[in-house]
Amino acid sequence: MKLWGGRFSKNTDSEVNDFNSSIRFDMRMYRQDIMGSIAHATMLGKCNIIPKADSDLIVKTLKEILEDIENGKIEFMVDAEDIHMNIETILTSRIGDAGKRLHTGRSRNDQVALDIRMYIKDEISEIIAMLVSLEKSLLNIAKQNLGTIMPGYTHLQKAQPITLAHHTMAYFEMFKRDIGRLQDAYSRTNVMPLGSGALAATTYPLDREFVAKELGFDSVTLNSLDGVSDRDFVIELASALSIIIMHLSRYSEELILWNTNEFQFIEMDDSCSTGSSIMPQKKNPDVAELIRGKTGRVYGDLMSILTTMKGIPLAYNKDMQEDKECIFDAIDTIKLCIPVFEKMIVTMKVNPERMYSGAGGGFTNATDAADYLVKKGMPFRQAHEVIGKMVAYALDNGKALSEFTIEEFKSCSDIIEDDIYEAISLETCVNERNIIGGPAAQAVQKAIDAGYVFIENI
Ligand code: ARG
């Protein structure tokens, strides 16, 4: 018989039973469910709501059940619907009436809200740890490439020279914000909903603050309707995860491009590439492509939860059971992607010569040539015009600016002198950009130092 079977005269249709049952996916919250029940039972005993002896027996037995689950000794029953009722059923089968006292002053509605919050808190901490590890690898790559000059792009057209360190630190900043978003989401997940009951709290004098403290929550929810029907924290996490994978995907896209025969800026390691079943010469960047591909899936999870929640009247409705598969999938996907992405960038080989020669063509120093004229007293708009003409001449004659003779320079503007060559070298272009946030080695070094401070303070 169902735990709620009292008012029913018929058994649940077996198809409806399967349809309703969530055990196949919510079983992963068994730890959180048991820890939550242990805290609840302890509090019931402490507040004399149930006999102390029963509370002790419940706690002891729940610990045994936890061990049995972890040792693979327990098979959950589809019939018991979800993880909450599965565990309560097992408990009651072991200790009878004492077990039946556990659910005093509690509803599955506040119980599931508690479990999913606890589960998400644990997962956020793990994902932050993965991002921290990735950030350390990025700092390492940046440190080693402060002088690795490469082209920076706008519109995927060569724009100005930067360094690989500067480029790498751009992604460091993105993942830094991701960590901040996760910490932020954590703080709003860290509120304890038990005591909200089904929707209107309870008549028992529960000590909610005690339960919150036992379970490591910062505070308790302040409205019972909201306590059971809020899934903002699930959506916030799905949103933060979507942004993380968007960043991973952009990075992957760049690496796929850099790994092409046309670019050859990097070479993916054999250990992170795959071959073709027909073309013997192929070495494909599958890891990067798969991460880019999985982005759609995480966005889908976010859209799905948002859409599920949009029409739900207060308070709990069964629709909300649909939040779990989505958020579990988003979490699993991110936890697969971050470490493998890190492995891929740590093992890839950088080709500094190709990056350097790539930085040279395409007039990436044209802005600096204009700035040279400005420093000699010419207004910027006029300098822009002069250099524009110079570029047109260079294109006609198949030359780079650095290949001009001094006579050619002077025919464009007589204020140009021999120091022009130094002024428009790629090294000067990069290292003159020595302001906060700039690509000069000194400026990037400061960003790296700040990066280490950030990592150490998480
Ligand atoms: N399995 C349910 C869920 O995931 C638990 C809460 C069910 N409550 C209820 N009154 N049916 O949301």
Side-chain angles (χ1 to χ4, degrees):
M1 183 161 102
K2 299 277 192 197
L3 289 179
W4 39 253
R7 63 99 73 207
F8 287 77
S9 52
K10 271 191 190 172
N11 285 332
T12 319
D13 175 272
S14 73
E15 216 174 322
V16 171
N17 205 32
D18 288 347
F19 183 68
N20 256 324
S21 176
S22 55
I23 186 64
R24 106 193 111 77
F25 52 83
D26 64 19
M27 60 185 273
R28 66 159 84 190
M29 302 194 302
Y30 70 86
R31 247 192 115 260
Q32 289 77 13
D33 195 75
I34 290 178
M35 298 318 283
S37 288
I38 288 177
H40 181 66
T42 309
M43 180 276 294
L44 291 176
K46 179 187 84 79
C47 298
N48 295 315
I49 298 169
I50 64 171
K52 182 80 174 51
D54 283 353
S55 154
D56 289 346
L57 185 59
I58 293 171
V59 170
K60 177 175 158 282
T61 314
L62 283 172
K63 286 181 181 161
E64 289 163 8
I65 295 172
L66 178 61
E67 227 183 280
D68 288 350
I69 295 173
E70 277 172 349
N71 292 328
K73 288 193 192 146
I74 285 181
E75 220 171 286
F76 294 118
M77 298 164 295
V78 173
D79 222 40
E81 216 175 300
D82 54 26
I83 188 62
H84 326 293
M85 292 203 296
N86 262 276
I87 290 182
E88 198 184 325
T89 305
I90 299 165
L91 178 73
T92 306
S93 75
R94 293 191 185 184
I95 57 172
D97 277 357
K100 291 184 187 166
R101 296 211 159 89
L102 169 63
H103 211 50
T104 313
R106 187 175 74 170
S107 156
R108 259 190 305 154
N109 298 351
D110 55 355
Q111 188 179 357
V112 72
L114 174 74
D115 292 3
I116 189 78
R117 280 178 187 267
M118 288 172 69
Y119 184 84
I120 282 182
K121 278 174 61 181
D122 291 345
E123 294 293 339
I124 288 180
S125 303
E126 277 188 39
I127 296 169
I128 289 178
M130 287 178 170
L131 284 177
V132 167
S133 170
L134 174 62
E135 290 285 62
K136 285 185 185 156
S137 292
L138 293 180
L139 288 171
N140 214 20
I141 294 174
K143 238 172 30 187
Q144 289 162 19
N145 289 284
L146 283 164
T148 310
I149 292 179
M150 63 172 281
Y153 295 84
T154 60
H155 313 272
L156 206 48
Q157 308 274 332
K158 281 181 203 187
Q160 291 172 343
I162 55 170
T163 64
L164 180 59
H166 193 53
H167 182 277
T168 307
M169 288 304 290
Y171 282 99
F172 179 91
E173 291 296 319
M174 294 180 225
F175 296 122
K176 188 167 102 183
R177 291 194 294 275
D178 287 326
I179 292 172
R181 258 184 291 275
L182 288 173
Q183 289 170 330
D184 222 34
Y186 187 96
S187 70
R188 274 180 295 279
T189 309
N190 201 9
V191 188
M192 209 288 296
L194 217 57
S196 301
L199 75 160
T202 176
T203 54
Y204 297 100
L206 307 184
D207 186 347
R208 300 187 63 207
E209 257 124 14
F210 172 85
V211 174
K213 212 159 159 234
E214 285 285 286
L215 295 173
F217 280 91
D218 262 1
S219 58
V220 299
T221 54
L222 295 181
N223 180 288
S224 64
L225 289 174
D226 184 50
V228 288
S229 61
D230 168 29
R231 292 293 182 273
D232 291 2
F233 56 97
V234 179
I235 295 171
E236 278 190 57
L237 175 59
S239 159
L241 298 181
S242 295
I243 299 175
I244 293 173
I245 201 151
M246 178 266 287
H247 290 153
L248 290 174
S249 181
R250 291 181 74 178
Y251 208 159
S252 294
E253 166 63 18
E254 294 207 86
L255 296 179
I256 291 166
L257 205 61
W258 292 3
N259 188 55
T260 56
N261 189 259
E262 288 76 5
F263 271 80
Q264 293 176 40
F265 281 5
I266 57 161
E267 189 188 338
M268 295 290 185
D269 194 60
D270 280 4
S271 64
C272 290
S273 310
T274 54
S276 156
S277 59
I278 175 169
M279 296 168 282
Q281 84 282 12
K282 293 277 270 184
K283 191 169 117 181
N284 300 325
D286 285 28
V287 168
E289 289 172 17
L290 209 42
I291 290 172
R292 193 177 56 183
K294 284 180 189 290
T295 305
R297 171 175 180 157
V298 177
Y299 290 1
D301 292 327
L302 169 64
M303 277 307 129
S304 175
I305 307 171
L306 275 172
T307 312
T308 296
M309 292 304 294
K310 89 177 184 42
I312 302 186
L314 297 184
Y316 178 86
N317 294 260
K318 187 82 169 200
D319 317 38
M320 288 159 70
Q321 180 165 289
E322 289 293 310
D323 63 350
K324 282 171 213 65
E325 279 167 294
C326 301
I327 197 65
F328 293 163
D329 180 70
I331 289 169
D332 292 348
T333 306
I334 286 287
K335 285 171 74 181
L336 273 179
C337 288
I338 299 173
V340 76
F341 182 86
E342 183 180 353
K343 201 171 273 181
M344 177 179 74
I345 59 166
V346 164
T347 55
M348 74 187 182
K349 212 168 85 221
V350 173
N351 187 343
E353 293 78 32
R354 287 286 299 183
M355 287 188 174
Y356 190 86
S357 65
F363 307 101
T364 54
N365 52 4
T367 315
D368 298 79
D371 288 343
Y372 171 87
L373 295 177
V374 169
K375 280 174 200 151
K376 300 258 173 188
M378 191 182 283
F380 180 75
R381 270 292 150 235
Q382 193 187 337
H384 190 286
E385 168 93 18
V386 169
I387 303 298
K389 292 220 168 80
M390 222 184 254
V391 168
Y393 171 86
L395 284 170
D396 285 345
N397 293 279
K399 284 188 163 188
L401 294 184
S402 57
E403 288 162 358
F404 276 32
T405 63
I406 190 68
E407 290 73 31
E408 282 173 313
F409 273 128
K410 283 202 178 290
S411 72
C412 300
S413 167
D414 54 16
I415 61 173
I416 297 180
E417 290 166 72
D418 269 347
D419 56 355
I420 181 77
Y421 295 103
E422 171 68 24
I424 63 168
S425 79
L426 292 179
E427 287 75 8
T428 309
C429 293
V430 169
N431 285 319
E432 284 294 297
R433 288 174 162 71
N434 191 14
I435 60 166
I436 298 172
Q442 239 183 9
V444 177
Q445 183 60 56
K446 280 187 193 142
I448 293 175
D449 294 343
Y452 278 110
V453 172
F454 169 74
I455 292 297
E456 269 146 35
N457 287 312
I458 286 174

